[in-house]
Amino acid sequence: MNSRPPLPVPVLMLLGNVAFIGAWVVVLMHPTGWQVLGPVLLGLFLLIRVGGAWLYASRTPDPSGRVRRSAIATTVIALFAVGLWVFTLLRGPG
């Protein structure tokens, strides 16, 4: 029985970015069910993108600490992006 290898971390992180773009589309377009779909996509973005960065950092030996610093930067940027999304949600797109 062949088991499939897990998705590579960069592919997972790309899927996180796609979820973030979807969350922006939802907050700007307000389709049916947007009150649920937007936060779900935003949560997926955080889980996949930030989680993927930390998963990669934990699995990659890096004595210089560059990968860990990259994961920290990804986390800070993601939190800023979520704050901007919430601000847009509360204030409206225009």
Side-chain angles (χ1 to χ4, degrees):
M1 179 174 161
N2 289 337
S3 64
R4 294 181 65 166
L7 286 174
V9 173
V11 172
L12 287 175
M13 293 168 65
L14 176 65
L15 290 175
N17 290 343
V18 169
F20 183 66
I21 292 169
W24 273 101
V25 168
V26 166
V27 79
L28 294 175
M29 303 300 284
H30 295 309
T32 303
W34 70 274
Q35 295 94 340
V36 174
L37 187 58
V40 166
L41 287 171
L42 202 61
L44 283 173
F45 161 68
L46 285 174
L47 178 71
I48 295 172
R49 182 72 172 116
V50 175
W54 283 104
L55 179 68
Y56 182 73
S58 70
R59 290 184 178 178
T60 304
D62 183 26
S64 67
R66 185 182 61 82
V67 176
R68 185 174 177 269
R69 287 191 304 272
S70 175
I72 292 169
T74 296
T75 303
V76 170
I77 292 169
L79 291 176
F80 175 76
V82 168
L84 185 60
W85 187 90
V86 170
F87 178 78
T88 303
L89 175 70
L90 297 176
R91 299 283 285 184

